[in-house]
Every structure is written in C-alpha cells, then in structure tokens.
Short mmCIF file of all heavy atoms in Angstrom, two decimals:
data_model
loop_
_atom_site.label_atom_id
_atom_site.label_comp_id
_atom_site.label_asym_id
_atom_site.label_seq_id
_atom_site.Cartn_x
_atom_site.Cartn_y
_atom_site.Cartn_z
N PHE V 6 -0.03 -19.53 0.35
CA PHE V 6 -1.31 -18.88 -0.02
C PHE V 6 -2.19 -19.89 -0.52
O PHE V 6 -1.90 -20.79 -1.32
CB PHE V 6 -1.00 -17.82 -1.05
CG PHE V 6 0.01 -16.73 -0.72
CD1 PHE V 6 1.31 -16.66 -1.34
CD2 PHE V 6 -0.23 -15.85 0.26
CE1 PHE V 6 2.18 -15.71 -0.98
CE2 PHE V 6 0.70 -14.79 0.62
CZ PHE V 6 1.90 -14.84 -0.01
N HIS V 7 -3.53 -19.58 -0.27
CA HIS V 7 -4.66 -20.44 -0.82
C HIS V 7 -5.73 -19.53 -1.47
O HIS V 7 -6.64 -20.15 -2.00
CB HIS V 7 -5.22 -21.34 0.16
CG HIS V 7 -5.96 -20.70 1.35
ND1 HIS V 7 -7.17 -20.15 1.09
CD2 HIS V 7 -5.52 -20.39 2.54
CE1 HIS V 7 -7.62 -19.68 2.36
NE2 HIS V 7 -6.62 -19.84 3.19
N SER V 8 -5.69 -18.25 -1.35
CA SER V 8 -6.80 -17.40 -1.81
C SER V 8 -6.17 -16.08 -2.39
O SER V 8 -5.13 -15.62 -1.94
CB SER V 8 -7.79 -17.06 -0.72
OG SER V 8 -7.32 -16.22 0.21
N SER V 9 -6.98 -15.52 -3.25
CA SER V 9 -6.51 -14.10 -3.86
C SER V 9 -6.51 -13.16 -2.77
O SER V 9 -5.75 -12.19 -2.76
CB SER V 9 -7.47 -13.81 -4.97
OG SER V 9 -8.87 -13.79 -4.47
N MET V 10 -7.37 -13.24 -1.76
CA MET V 10 -7.46 -12.28 -0.70
C MET V 10 -6.06 -12.14 0.14
O MET V 10 -5.67 -11.11 0.47
CB MET V 10 -8.68 -12.55 0.24
CG MET V 10 -10.03 -12.33 -0.37
SD MET V 10 -11.41 -12.77 0.59
CE MET V 10 -11.29 -14.53 0.54
N GLN V 11 -5.49 -13.35 0.32
CA GLN V 11 -4.20 -13.43 1.02
C GLN V 11 -3.10 -12.66 0.18
O GLN V 11 -2.37 -11.97 0.77
CB GLN V 11 -3.79 -14.86 1.25
CG GLN V 11 -4.65 -15.56 2.30
CD GLN V 11 -4.15 -17.01 2.44
OE1 GLN V 11 -4.01 -17.69 1.44
NE2 GLN V 11 -3.95 -17.36 3.68
N LEU V 12 -3.17 -12.79 -1.23
CA LEU V 12 -2.23 -12.04 -2.00
C LEU V 12 -2.44 -10.59 -1.88
O LEU V 12 -1.47 -9.76 -1.72
CB LEU V 12 -2.31 -12.49 -3.45
CG LEU V 12 -1.96 -13.90 -3.86
CD1 LEU V 12 -1.98 -14.04 -5.28
CD2 LEU V 12 -0.60 -14.26 -3.29
N LEU V 13 -3.68 -10.03 -1.89
CA LEU V 13 -3.97 -8.70 -1.79
C LEU V 13 -3.60 -8.21 -0.50
O LEU V 13 -3.10 -6.99 -0.35
CB LEU V 13 -5.54 -8.48 -2.06
CG LEU V 13 -5.99 -8.84 -3.48
CD1 LEU V 13 -7.44 -8.76 -3.59
CD2 LEU V 13 -5.34 -7.80 -4.46
N GLU V 14 -3.82 -8.99 0.68
CA GLU V 14 -3.50 -8.50 1.92
C GLU V 14 -2.07 -8.29 2.22
O GLU V 14 -1.70 -7.59 3.10
CB GLU V 14 -4.03 -9.49 2.94
CG GLU V 14 -5.52 -9.48 3.09
CD GLU V 14 -5.97 -10.49 4.21
OE1 GLU V 14 -5.43 -11.60 4.18
OE2 GLU V 14 -6.93 -10.21 5.04
N THR V 15 -1.16 -8.79 1.36
CA THR V 15 0.29 -8.57 1.58
C THR V 15 0.56 -7.04 1.30
O THR V 15 1.67 -6.69 1.91
CB THR V 15 1.20 -9.43 0.53
OG1 THR V 15 0.83 -8.99 -0.83
CG2 THR V 15 0.83 -10.87 0.61
N GLY V 16 -0.17 -6.35 0.60
CA GLY V 16 -0.04 -5.04 0.23
C GLY V 16 1.11 -4.79 -0.73
O GLY V 16 1.45 -3.52 -1.10
N LEU V 17 1.64 -5.90 -1.30
CA LEU V 17 2.73 -5.74 -2.29
C LEU V 17 2.33 -5.00 -3.53
O LEU V 17 3.10 -4.28 -4.14
CB LEU V 17 3.39 -7.06 -2.50
CG LEU V 17 4.18 -7.64 -1.41
CD1 LEU V 17 4.59 -9.07 -1.70
CD2 LEU V 17 5.35 -6.86 -1.04
N PHE V 18 1.11 -5.22 -3.96
CA PHE V 18 0.61 -4.63 -5.33
C PHE V 18 0.52 -3.20 -5.15
O PHE V 18 0.94 -2.35 -6.04
CB PHE V 18 -0.65 -5.32 -5.75
CG PHE V 18 -0.54 -6.79 -6.07
CD1 PHE V 18 -1.01 -7.78 -5.15
CD2 PHE V 18 0.03 -7.14 -7.23
CE1 PHE V 18 -0.83 -8.99 -5.49
CE2 PHE V 18 0.14 -8.43 -7.68
CZ PHE V 18 -0.36 -9.44 -6.69
N ASP V 19 -0.04 -2.69 -4.02
CA ASP V 19 -0.27 -1.21 -3.74
C ASP V 19 1.14 -0.61 -3.59
O ASP V 19 1.46 0.44 -4.08
CB ASP V 19 -1.12 -1.04 -2.58
CG ASP V 19 -2.59 -1.14 -2.88
OD1 ASP V 19 -3.03 -0.64 -3.98
OD2 ASP V 19 -3.35 -1.63 -2.04
N LYS V 20 2.01 -1.30 -2.86
CA LYS V 20 3.37 -0.81 -2.71
C LYS V 20 4.14 -0.62 -3.92
O LYS V 20 4.88 0.27 -4.18
CB LYS V 20 4.21 -1.71 -1.72
CG LYS V 20 5.60 -1.25 -1.33
CD LYS V 20 6.23 -2.30 -0.41
CE LYS V 20 7.62 -1.80 -0.05
NZ LYS V 20 8.34 -2.69 0.88
N ALA V 21 3.88 -1.45 -4.85
CA ALA V 21 4.57 -1.42 -6.25
C ALA V 21 3.85 -0.41 -7.21
O ALA V 21 4.33 -0.16 -8.31
CB ALA V 21 4.57 -2.82 -6.91
N GLY V 22 2.75 0.16 -6.75
CA GLY V 22 2.07 1.09 -7.62
C GLY V 22 1.26 0.54 -8.70
O GLY V 22 1.11 1.22 -9.70
N PHE V 23 0.76 -0.76 -8.53
CA PHE V 23 -0.07 -1.33 -9.59
C PHE V 23 -1.33 -0.42 -9.79
O PHE V 23 -2.00 0.02 -8.77
CB PHE V 23 -0.51 -2.70 -9.18
CG PHE V 23 0.29 -3.79 -9.68
CD1 PHE V 23 1.77 -3.68 -9.55
CD2 PHE V 23 -0.09 -4.82 -10.39
CE1 PHE V 23 2.62 -4.62 -10.09
CE2 PHE V 23 0.68 -5.83 -10.88
CZ PHE V 23 2.07 -5.67 -10.74
N THR V 24 -1.72 -0.13 -11.00
CA THR V 24 -2.86 0.75 -11.25
C THR V 24 -4.21 0.02 -11.34
O THR V 24 -5.23 0.57 -11.23
CB THR V 24 -2.56 1.55 -12.59
OG1 THR V 24 -2.34 0.60 -13.65
CG2 THR V 24 -1.40 2.41 -12.50
N ARG V 25 -4.07 -1.29 -11.66
CA ARG V 25 -5.27 -2.08 -11.86
C ARG V 25 -5.09 -3.44 -11.26
O ARG V 25 -4.07 -3.98 -11.46
CB ARG V 25 -5.74 -2.35 -13.38
CG ARG V 25 -6.50 -1.28 -13.95
CD ARG V 25 -7.03 -1.68 -15.32
NE ARG V 25 -8.07 -0.67 -15.87
CZ ARG V 25 -9.36 -0.83 -15.57
NH1 ARG V 25 -9.81 -1.81 -14.94
NH2 ARG V 25 -10.16 0.16 -16.10
N LEU V 26 -6.13 -3.92 -10.33
CA LEU V 26 -6.20 -5.18 -9.86
C LEU V 26 -7.43 -5.78 -9.99
O LEU V 26 -8.49 -5.22 -9.56
CB LEU V 26 -5.87 -5.11 -8.24
CG LEU V 26 -4.50 -4.60 -7.83
CD1 LEU V 26 -4.46 -4.38 -6.38
CD2 LEU V 26 -3.42 -5.51 -8.28
N HIS V 27 -7.41 -6.83 -10.88
CA HIS V 27 -8.77 -7.53 -11.19
C HIS V 27 -8.84 -8.78 -10.37
O HIS V 27 -7.76 -9.38 -9.95
CB HIS V 27 -8.84 -7.80 -12.77
CG HIS V 27 -9.13 -6.49 -13.45
ND1 HIS V 27 -9.47 -6.61 -14.83
CD2 HIS V 27 -9.11 -5.25 -13.15
CE1 HIS V 27 -9.52 -5.36 -15.21
NE2 HIS V 27 -9.33 -4.50 -14.30
N VAL V 28 -10.17 -9.15 -10.14
CA VAL V 28 -10.35 -10.43 -9.22
C VAL V 28 -11.36 -11.26 -10.04
O VAL V 28 -12.01 -10.79 -10.94
CB VAL V 28 -10.86 -10.02 -7.81
CG1 VAL V 28 -9.73 -9.35 -7.01
CG2 VAL V 28 -12.06 -9.06 -7.93
N ALA V 29 -11.41 -12.45 -9.58
CA ALA V 29 -12.34 -13.44 -10.28
C ALA V 29 -13.74 -13.44 -9.83
O ALA V 29 -13.95 -13.18 -8.73
CB ALA V 29 -11.79 -14.85 -10.15
N GLY V 30 -14.65 -13.68 -10.81
CA GLY V 30 -16.05 -13.66 -10.41
C GLY V 30 -16.67 -15.07 -10.98
O GLY V 30 -16.17 -15.57 -12.04
N HIS V 31 -17.76 -15.56 -10.37
CA HIS V 31 -18.23 -16.89 -10.69
C HIS V 31 -19.79 -16.86 -10.78
O HIS V 31 -20.41 -17.07 -9.77
CB HIS V 31 -17.82 -17.89 -9.65
CG HIS V 31 -16.29 -17.97 -9.43
ND1 HIS V 31 -15.43 -18.64 -10.29
CD2 HIS V 31 -15.54 -17.33 -8.50
CE1 HIS V 31 -14.26 -18.48 -9.84
NE2 HIS V 31 -14.28 -17.75 -8.71
N PRO V 32 -20.28 -16.44 -12.02
CA PRO V 32 -21.78 -16.34 -12.03
C PRO V 32 -22.59 -17.61 -11.81
O PRO V 32 -23.65 -17.54 -11.42
CB PRO V 32 -21.88 -16.08 -13.59
CG PRO V 32 -20.65 -15.36 -13.99
CD PRO V 32 -19.60 -16.03 -13.16
N GLU V 33 -21.87 -18.81 -11.95
CA GLU V 33 -22.46 -20.08 -11.71
C GLU V 33 -21.98 -20.74 -10.43
O GLU V 33 -21.97 -21.99 -10.26
CB GLU V 33 -22.51 -20.96 -12.88
CG GLU V 33 -23.25 -20.40 -14.17
CD GLU V 33 -23.31 -21.18 -15.28
OE1 GLU V 33 -22.28 -21.37 -15.97
OE2 GLU V 33 -24.46 -21.89 -15.44
N GLY V 34 -21.32 -20.06 -9.56
CA GLY V 34 -20.68 -20.51 -8.40
C GLY V 34 -19.42 -21.21 -8.61
O GLY V 34 -18.86 -21.24 -9.71
N ASN V 35 -18.82 -21.64 -7.55
CA ASN V 35 -17.53 -22.30 -7.68
C ASN V 35 -17.41 -23.32 -6.53
O ASN V 35 -17.34 -23.11 -5.45
CB ASN V 35 -16.41 -21.26 -7.44
CG ASN V 35 -14.92 -21.78 -7.63
OD1 ASN V 35 -14.84 -23.09 -7.44
ND2 ASN V 35 -14.06 -20.94 -7.85
N ARG V 36 -17.38 -24.69 -6.97
CA ARG V 36 -17.43 -25.79 -5.99
C ARG V 36 -16.22 -25.82 -5.22
O ARG V 36 -16.15 -26.67 -4.27
CB ARG V 36 -17.85 -27.03 -6.69
CG ARG V 36 -19.38 -27.13 -7.11
CD ARG V 36 -19.80 -28.46 -7.57
NE ARG V 36 -21.24 -28.50 -7.78
CZ ARG V 36 -22.13 -28.90 -6.88
NH1 ARG V 36 -21.75 -29.17 -5.56
NH2 ARG V 36 -23.48 -28.91 -7.11
N ASP V 37 -14.99 -25.29 -5.69
CA ASP V 37 -13.88 -25.27 -5.01
C ASP V 37 -13.99 -24.50 -3.69
O ASP V 37 -13.24 -24.74 -2.77
CB ASP V 37 -12.76 -24.74 -5.83
CG ASP V 37 -12.27 -25.71 -6.87
OD1 ASP V 37 -12.60 -26.91 -6.81
OD2 ASP V 37 -11.54 -25.27 -7.76
N ILE V 38 -14.88 -23.52 -3.75
CA ILE V 38 -15.15 -22.63 -2.60
C ILE V 38 -16.34 -22.98 -1.87
O ILE V 38 -16.40 -23.10 -0.60
CB ILE V 38 -15.28 -21.22 -3.05
CG1 ILE V 38 -13.88 -20.82 -3.83
CG2 ILE V 38 -15.48 -20.26 -1.89
CD1 ILE V 38 -13.98 -19.50 -4.44
N ASP V 39 -17.43 -23.21 -2.56
CA ASP V 39 -18.75 -23.65 -2.04
C ASP V 39 -19.05 -25.12 -2.42
O ASP V 39 -19.71 -25.34 -3.43
CB ASP V 39 -19.87 -22.73 -2.47
CG ASP V 39 -19.80 -21.37 -1.77
OD1 ASP V 39 -20.19 -21.30 -0.54
OD2 ASP V 39 -19.38 -20.42 -2.35
N ALA V 40 -18.57 -26.03 -1.66
CA ALA V 40 -18.73 -27.47 -2.03
C ALA V 40 -20.19 -27.89 -2.19
O ALA V 40 -20.53 -28.82 -2.80
CB ALA V 40 -18.05 -28.39 -1.02
N ASP V 41 -21.15 -27.18 -1.47
CA ASP V 41 -22.55 -27.50 -1.47
C ASP V 41 -23.21 -27.10 -2.71
O ASP V 41 -24.51 -27.25 -2.92
CB ASP V 41 -23.23 -27.08 -0.21
CG ASP V 41 -23.32 -25.55 -0.09
OD1 ASP V 41 -22.59 -24.92 -0.93
OD2 ASP V 41 -23.84 -25.04 0.85
N GLY V 42 -22.54 -26.33 -3.65
CA GLY V 42 -23.03 -25.79 -4.90
C GLY V 42 -23.82 -24.46 -4.64
O GLY V 42 -24.35 -23.89 -5.58
N GLY V 43 -23.75 -23.95 -3.44
CA GLY V 43 -24.37 -22.56 -3.23
C GLY V 43 -23.38 -21.49 -3.54
O GLY V 43 -22.37 -21.71 -4.38
N GLU V 44 -23.48 -20.33 -3.02
CA GLU V 44 -22.63 -19.24 -3.26
C GLU V 44 -22.29 -18.41 -1.95
O GLU V 44 -21.81 -17.24 -2.07
CB GLU V 44 -23.16 -18.25 -4.31
CG GLU V 44 -24.48 -17.62 -4.00
CD GLU V 44 -24.93 -16.70 -5.10
OE1 GLU V 44 -24.31 -16.78 -6.31
OE2 GLU V 44 -25.83 -15.96 -4.86
N ALA V 45 -22.55 -18.92 -0.78
CA ALA V 45 -22.39 -18.17 0.39
C ALA V 45 -20.93 -17.69 0.52
O ALA V 45 -20.69 -16.47 0.88
CB ALA V 45 -22.80 -19.09 1.66
N GLU V 46 -19.88 -18.63 0.37
CA GLU V 46 -18.57 -18.25 0.47
C GLU V 46 -18.11 -17.35 -0.55
O GLU V 46 -17.38 -16.43 -0.35
CB GLU V 46 -17.72 -19.51 0.57
CG GLU V 46 -18.05 -20.23 1.74
CD GLU V 46 -17.81 -19.67 3.09
OE1 GLU V 46 -16.81 -18.82 3.08
OE2 GLU V 46 -18.38 -19.82 4.10
N VAL V 47 -18.46 -17.58 -1.86
CA VAL V 47 -17.99 -16.73 -2.96
C VAL V 47 -18.64 -15.34 -2.75
O VAL V 47 -17.94 -14.31 -3.19
CB VAL V 47 -18.35 -17.33 -4.33
CG1 VAL V 47 -17.48 -18.56 -4.68
CG2 VAL V 47 -19.71 -17.66 -4.50
N MET V 48 -19.77 -15.18 -2.37
CA MET V 48 -20.41 -13.97 -2.15
C MET V 48 -19.67 -13.19 -0.97
O MET V 48 -19.51 -11.99 -1.03
CB MET V 48 -21.84 -14.09 -1.91
CG MET V 48 -22.65 -12.76 -2.05
SD MET V 48 -22.54 -12.09 -3.71
CE MET V 48 -23.66 -13.20 -4.61
N ALA V 49 -19.31 -13.87 0.04
CA ALA V 49 -18.61 -13.33 1.12
C ALA V 49 -17.23 -12.76 0.54
O ALA V 49 -16.73 -11.70 1.03
CB ALA V 49 -18.40 -14.36 2.30
#
C-alpha cells in the first residue's frame, strides 16, 4: 500500500463494522503528493 485510498478500497473497515473512518487533510498542501507545491493531486 502507498495511499489511504488503497486501504479503504480493501473493504475491510466496512466489513468489520467500523463506525467512523477519518482521513487526512492538508490546508497548506502536501509535497509528498504534489511535488510542485500545488494541490491538484490532494484535491483529487
């Protein structure tokens, strides 16, 4: 795995009946995802 989306796509959290799933947000971008300093990928 390299992304949170891949973990969610496994379906294992829903199968286990998880009631809350939180994900990360980046108000000032994330250069690990958008190396150019933008936010196209994090917004996608």
